[in-house]
Amino acid sequence: MPVELIRYGFSGGVFSRALQGRSDLEKSDLGLAAAENFFIDYRGGATSRAGFQFCEQIGATSLEAVRFFSFQFNRFLANNYLLVFTPLKLRFIQDGAYVLEAAKTITSIVGNTVNSTAHGYANGELVQISSRTYIVAAAAANSFQTTDFNGVAENPVGTEVQRVYTVDTPYTAEMLPGLQFRQRRDMVRITSLDYPPMDLTRAAHTSWTLAAFNTGGGSVASPSAGFTATPSGAGTAVLYWAVTSVDANGRESYLTSIQVATSLVNYASTSGSCRFSWTPVAGAKYYNVYRSLIFPTAAQSSGGQELGFIGRTYGPSLTDTNITPNFAITPRVYYNPFDEGQISFVNITAAGSGYSGLSTITASEVGGSGFLALTIRNDPGAVQGALIVNAGKGYVAPTLTVNANGGGGTLATATAVVDSLVGGNPAVSIFYGQRAWLMGTTRTPMTLYSGRSDDIFSFSRGLLATASDPYELDIESSDLTPIRFAEALTDNLFIFTDSGVYQIAPSDAGFSSTQRTQNGVGRVRPIPINTELVFAMPDGSGVRAIRPGSVPNAYVDADLTIFSGDYFTPKQEIISWAFSRTPYRVLWCVKVDGRLLSFTYVPEHNIYAWSSNSTNGYALEIANVLESGIDTPYIAVRRENGVFIERMVYRAFETVEDIWSVDSGLSTSLTYPTADIAVVDLDDTAWTVTADAAIFSAGDVGKHFRAGGGMGVVIASPSSTTLTVEKVVDIVDRRPQQDRYPDFAEGDWSLTSPITTVSGLRHLANQTIEVLADGSYLGEFVVSATGTITLDAPASKIIAGLGFDGYIETLPLTASDQVIDNRRKRPVGVALRVEESRGLWYGVPDHMYEMFDRTTERYGEPTRFQSGIRNLTIRS
């Protein structure tokens, strides 16, 4: 008795060979035996991936060191970029092309020598002429030569030249794999074990600044001169005071000196005041003033007094009328937990005598800088200790000097205790809990350091500990494995190490740490997907998710590769990945062997499906850039002629002419005349096109007309405002509720001359490519050394690039109520549910049949898309 076996969908993805007999598994009826260049649509079907469009070249074939970062400021394309890091250089891609500087005029071109007055270009820089990128060579004041990426001379054509906007970086090829990026608005923090943290800041389209991360405070310094304390009357009282600057962003400078005021009236017990003043600081928006308690006599004071906030002033002075200091707010001292060679402690070896409240301790040594300490004295002026306000950096064996600073002190000496000289660079950065966090140094591999709550970029501390001071949190762990990544999810911070994942949660004591899994993390940064964190395991052994458990604020570890283990084998780890939320919810992964994996993941519907993808080359890096609301994957790929940047084409093809099923491809451009038109049917075979301007001529005969999804060939031009067009593809656009065509505005229709010679394919020189022209597949062509091909017939909308094949293979047939795996089967037909498909073949590998697509198309019309159920006959 015949049995109908149905595959309702493929949301289980590709099953490993070891599981293909497991008909008891939850997703056994939704799996595939194999898939290549197909991804699984989250709605259930298997969809062929779109091809890649060639964007730019970044190097010769041997150059593989490249890192991507997707800069997304908002959802508008003008504010989003692909940051492309190559050795010692950073360039920017927007909408598939390099960001360019202002154009300069070319006066003449002789061979590959370009003459341009005062161009300012240097050897090795990239320039573009007529949308082609060249390397500058033999640069002189008013001329330069152009070569390709292999140094071979190329002769450009054009009237203007633009330099590719480039930022110099300190990152060598060896450093690039270890770079981590964390964006906050217009700033990207870059961390690495190999280099101190850097901040990349955007000011304009071609104005980006890469600078060392300032951990201490604002962009302005504290006042350093003109300190005066003017009391309302004389007396024996003494106090200590200090002032800091605050910049326009509200960031406060750190303490660089403490002043002493003597011979004051004690205005804490007697009516009076004291006016503090100083020399203004450029860039200071306002100043914060701090002072100690007022001491009746000098004998009752010491240089180590606490300072509390007494007021803010917008000018360089403040009058204190016995304001009560707020010791919950104290001046900040410079602190950077990542500097190497810091002086962490000062031993006073001789107290000396006669030192004033202005005395300081400084350090001298070649390579060291920044150290400053304020002395703590007794009444005779003997130095008893030191308050370090800047630990400095780069010291090995510094010489300390106790400076009298005009106070007349003598004979005090001190020695220094120096921290580790190496291993201070943090590998990881994140913004969490209204603070900036850095962590993962070699010196303290399991310690997290936060910025201040009132100034998230500053790690400076108050003289007294306050609630806004930075945190230092050391994770309790059984082994000392370094922090690799950190990601925030809801109110929690998750720390990923080589041997586990730790959940950091707010608590009454500050933060608590709980290990959630003993599965370590690989080399790619975990990705937040809805309420989960997806992470790759080391050595390519799988992909897992940290997800909420059944107990509030408890998280569990889940395996996402249980069905597709064949893709995850030792030494085949994922080296780059990017999650495209729109439109298909696909995680695109680059493996170390240069292949691509696609992982469709919708956790709330229990959809997780893996499949394999490949291209004629080796993928090196991938990232998403938000373009017109679509997450667009960009890849760096090493092909035969170089390392290219390419982007995946959005797969919503409006017509069959838009199908992009090649890689490293380019397309010809259509011509859009400057007029609005109306289209009416002349008869069943032709249209009359009428323009609102005199733009047509007899030379338009033979051109290809396109509008509203339709296409035709111009057969006559009766007047300067009308054309007669023979129909090839019917126009599908209609006015709502009316059976007639809409009017087409300028830009919504085109009139293009067909061509037979296609140029601009230099990046594919000497390679075999495939061509689609006006919606039809024309076959294979070999690109000439100059980047051209010649078609057998003229066409106007041409897409050319490297071809690729795609296939899916279903699992062996199974039935729920009987065992049939070991039985011979005699299928007599297959029904395929297809959506906007064409060019399909079906069967078994050695007996494949073409699904014929042509139905009622006109002569010359390309094959239309097929949708619905197709009943097909096959041999057993």
Side-chain angles (χ1 to χ4, degrees):
M1 176 178 177
V3 176
E4 291 187 355
L5 301 176
I6 303 174
R7 298 293 187 195
Y8 290 103
F10 308 114
S11 59
V14 175
F15 274 39
S16 63
R17 287 163 293 184
L19 294 176
Q20 289 184 7
R22 292 285 307 277
S23 59
D24 60 311
L25 292 175
E26 171 194 8
K27 291 181 177 289
S28 63
D29 287 335
L30 300 172
L32 286 167
E36 185 70 18
N37 286 320
F38 273 78
F39 65 90
I40 306 305
D41 192 307
Y42 66 91
R43 293 162 294 194
T47 302
S48 58
R49 74 163 173 89
F52 287 100
Q53 175 192 19
F54 174 80
C55 297
E56 299 286 358
Q57 185 168 355
I58 57 176
T61 305
S62 60
L63 177 62
E64 297 184 14
V66 58
R67 281 297 305 277
F68 284 169
F69 177 72
S70 176
F71 181 96
Q72 180 180 326
F73 184 74
N74 56 32
R75 296 189 65 82
F76 298 104
L77 177 60
N79 292 312
N80 298 327
Y81 301 83
L82 178 70
L83 276 53
V84 181
F85 289 82
T86 55
L88 305 179
K89 301 294 180 183
L90 166 62
R91 299 183 176 95
F92 306 84
I93 295 280
Q94 190 174 79
D95 196 19
Y98 277 135
V99 170
L100 305 176
E101 298 178 2
K104 295 182 180 293
T105 301
I106 295 174
T107 55
S108 64
I109 298 177
V110 180
N112 75 320
T113 299
V114 179
N115 297 304
S116 178
T117 304
H119 53 76
Y121 302 152
N123 290 340
E125 292 183 331
L126 303 186
V127 295
Q128 282 196 359
I129 301 173
S130 299
S131 299
R132 178 160 177 79
T133 304
Y134 302 92
I135 296 179
V136 172
N142 300 309
S143 67
F144 60 90
Q145 293 181 355
T146 53
T147 73
D148 66 11
F149 281 80
N150 292 302
V152 178
E154 282 201 349
N155 302 338
V157 175
T159 58
E160 289 185 333
V161 57
Q162 292 178 272
R163 178 163 51 190
V164 175
Y165 180 66
T166 305
V167 173
D168 292 332
T169 79
Y171 306 121
T172 63
E174 294 73 21
M175 294 180 184
L176 291 181
L179 297 185
Q180 290 198 39
F181 309 95
R182 187 69 63 172
Q183 182 180 349
R184 184 179 186 270
R185 299 171 186 166
D186 255 340
M187 184 272 290
V188 178
R189 178 152 298 153
I190 306 173
T191 52
S192 167
L193 288 176
D194 300 315
Y195 205 84
M198 302 284 281
D199 286 346
L200 176 70
T201 305
R202 180 188 71 157
H205 187 55
T206 54
S207 179
W208 299 69
T209 303
L210 185 65
F213 166 46
N214 173 20
T215 66
S219 58
V220 296
S222 292
S224 60
F227 296 109
T228 304
T230 306
S232 59
T236 60
V238 174
L239 62 80
Y240 296 85
W241 65 285
V243 60
T244 59
S245 306
V246 181
D247 63 19
N249 295 318
R251 299 187 65 196
E252 185 178 11
S253 65
Y254 53 88
L255 187 68
T256 55
S257 66
I258 297 178
Q259 309 302 314
V260 60
T262 60
S263 303
L264 309 173
V265 59
N266 188 349
Y267 56 94
S269 58
T270 303
S271 178
S273 64
C274 185
R275 183 174 183 270
F276 304 112
S277 59
W278 54 90
T279 301
V281 176
K285 182 178 180 181
Y286 59 88
Y287 305 91
N288 288 338
V289 182
Y290 305 85
R291 73 160 170 85
S292 68
L293 296 175
I294 301 173
F295 300 94
T297 65
Q300 296 172 288
S301 71
S302 169
Q305 300 301 324
E306 299 174 357
L307 302 182
F309 178 74
I310 62 170
R312 170 190 299 182
T313 174
Y314 287 86
S317 66
L318 181 140
T319 299
D320 176 19
T321 57
N322 193 25
I323 302 170
T324 301
N326 181 357
F327 291 105
I329 305 175
T330 64
R332 305 178 188 180
V333 294
Y334 177 84
Y335 179 63
N336 184 347
F338 314 108
D339 280 340
E340 299 169 349
Q342 300 181 80
I343 298 175
S344 60
F345 188 74
V346 172
N347 289 310
I348 305 300
T349 54
S353 63
Y355 289 93
S356 73
L358 302 177
S359 59
T360 60
I361 302 175
T362 56
S364 59
E365 182 183 14
V366 175
S369 63
F371 175 78
L372 177 66
L374 307 177
T375 60
I376 300 174
R377 309 157 295 98
N378 60 15
D379 183 39
V383 177
Q384 299 174 311
L387 172 64
I388 297 177
V389 295
N390 189 333
K393 62 181 178 180
Y395 295 102
V396 179
T399 299
L400 299 189
T401 303
V402 182
N403 306 287
N405 292 345
T410 59
L411 303 179
T413 59
T415 59
V417 176
V418 179
D419 279 348
S420 173
L421 300 175
V422 296
N425 296 327
V428 182
S429 170
I430 193 170
F431 298 97
Y432 164 70
Q434 299 299 310
R435 296 172 185 259
W437 295 74
L438 292 169
M439 64 199 77
T441 68
T442 303
R443 190 167 60 201
T444 55
M446 294 294 284
T447 303
L448 291 71
Y449 301 90
S450 85
R452 300 179 61 87
S453 64
D454 56 356
D455 183 354
I456 68 170
F457 295 103
S458 174
F459 286 74
S460 59
R461 298 170 167 176
L463 282 175
L464 297 176
T466 65
S468 58
D469 274 0
Y471 284 107
E472 287 190 12
L473 176 63
D474 191 65
I475 295 177
E476 184 62 35
S477 61
S478 58
D479 55 357
L480 197 63
T481 58
I483 296 173
R484 298 298 188 193
F485 301 99
E487 291 296 332
L489 191 67
T490 60
D491 293 330
N492 301 283
L493 180 64
F494 289 87
I495 304 300
F496 294 82
T497 73
D498 286 341
S499 59
V501 180
Y502 296 82
Q503 177 185 348
I504 309 298
S507 68
D508 294 338
F511 293 93
S512 63
S513 171
T514 305
Q515 186 171 3
R516 288 304 181 191
T517 177
Q518 293 181 343
N519 290 307
V521 70
R523 70 167 77 179
V524 291
R525 174 176 154 183
I527 294 180
I529 300 179
N530 296 351
T531 59
E532 302 184 4
L533 288 171
V534 176
F535 67 99
M537 296 178 64
D539 298 325
S541 55
V543 173
R544 306 184 73 89
I546 291 291
R547 58 177 52 159
S550 57
V551 178
N553 210 38
Y555 287 76
V556 296
D557 179 17
D559 187 356
L560 302 181
T561 54
I562 188 66
F563 296 140
S564 306
D566 290 351
Y567 290 148
F568 301 93
T569 58
K571 309 304 180 185
Q572 290 296 318
E573 63 183 310
I574 295 170
I575 61 173
S576 181
W577 63 4
F579 183 58
S580 298
R581 287 177 172 81
T582 55
Y584 295 115
R585 284 78 159 170
V586 174
L587 178 63
W588 296 98
C589 310
V590 176
K591 298 180 68 179
V592 72
D593 63 357
R595 293 180 64 86
L596 284 167
L597 293 179
S598 58
F599 176 49
T600 304
Y601 192 42
V602 186
E604 63 268 30
H605 294 290
N606 196 31
I607 295 173
Y608 50 102
W610 291 92
S611 60
S612 176
N613 298 265
S614 60
T615 184
N616 187 1
Y618 296 87
L620 307 174
E621 183 80 355
I622 193 165
N624 278 323
V625 179
L626 189 66
E627 296 180 344
S628 302
I630 301 298
D631 285 320
T632 303
Y634 279 75
I635 65 167
V637 58
R638 176 161 52 88
R639 301 198 186 275
E640 184 175 328
N641 291 343
V643 178
F644 304 150
I645 298 175
E646 302 176 15
R647 64 174 172 180
M648 184 176 287
V649 176
Y650 180 38
R651 203 187 175 284
F653 305 131
E654 294 184 4
T655 71
V656 293
E657 292 184 327
D658 301 319
I659 296 173
W660 196 294
S661 57
V662 294
D663 289 339
S664 201
L666 289 174
S667 65
T668 56
S669 299
L670 301 178
T671 302
Y672 296 90
T674 56
D676 299 341
I677 61 168
V679 181
V680 296
D681 288 321
L682 180 62
D683 51 39
D684 289 341
T685 64
W687 297 301
T688 296
V689 178
T690 304
D692 64 358
I695 60 170
F696 299 137
S697 68
D700 293 326
V701 173
K703 291 183 178 180
H704 291 181
F705 167 82
R706 290 178 173 85
M711 181 266 187
V713 179
V714 177
I715 56 177
S717 178
S719 72
S720 61
T721 59
T722 59
L723 292 177
T724 302
V725 179
E726 181 182 12
K727 298 178 182 180
V728 176
V729 179
D730 288 327
I731 295 175
V732 295
D733 284 358
R734 293 290 191 276
R735 283 182 177 270
Q737 303 296 323
Q738 301 179 38
D739 189 22
R740 67 186 186 91
Y741 308 125
D743 293 336
F744 296 101
E746 176 185 339
D748 292 335
W749 66 283
S750 63
L751 191 63
T752 309
S753 297
I755 58 175
T756 56
T757 300
V758 181
S759 59
L761 298 171
R762 188 66 178 268
H763 66 292
L764 298 176
N766 304 313
Q767 295 188 61
T768 299
I769 66 171
E770 297 187 358
V771 176
L772 294 93
D774 296 339
S776 296
Y777 175 66
L778 298 191
E780 294 183 342
F781 294 80
V782 176
V783 181
S784 72
T786 58
T788 63
I789 58 173
T790 301
L791 305 182
D792 298 327
S796 57
K797 190 167 186 177
I798 303 164
I799 299 172
L802 299 170
F804 61 89
D805 294 327
Y807 63 86
I808 60 172
E809 180 183 344
T810 57
L811 289 171
L813 297 176
T814 61
S816 60
D817 57 348
Q818 56 186 308
V819 177
I820 65 170
D821 284 11
N822 63 335
R823 305 289 182 86
R824 291 177 60 84
K825 305 158 186 78
R826 183 179 157 189
V828 295
V830 61
L832 301 181
R833 184 184 297 276
V834 295
E835 179 183 0
E836 293 194 343
S837 302
R838 71 172 199 175
L840 289 177
W841 292 70
Y842 62 97
V844 294
D846 55 346
H847 289 286
M848 297 294 290
Y849 306 92
E850 183 178 4
M851 186 184 81
F852 294 104
D853 301 321
R854 295 195 70 84
T855 54
T856 60
E857 291 89 344
R858 288 187 174 87
Y859 177 76
E861 179 181 354
T863 304
R864 298 171 187 164
F865 289 134
Q866 301 290 308
S867 295
I869 295 179
R870 295 291 304 273
N871 290 295
L872 307 167
T873 301
I874 60 173
R875 295 180 182 177
S876 296

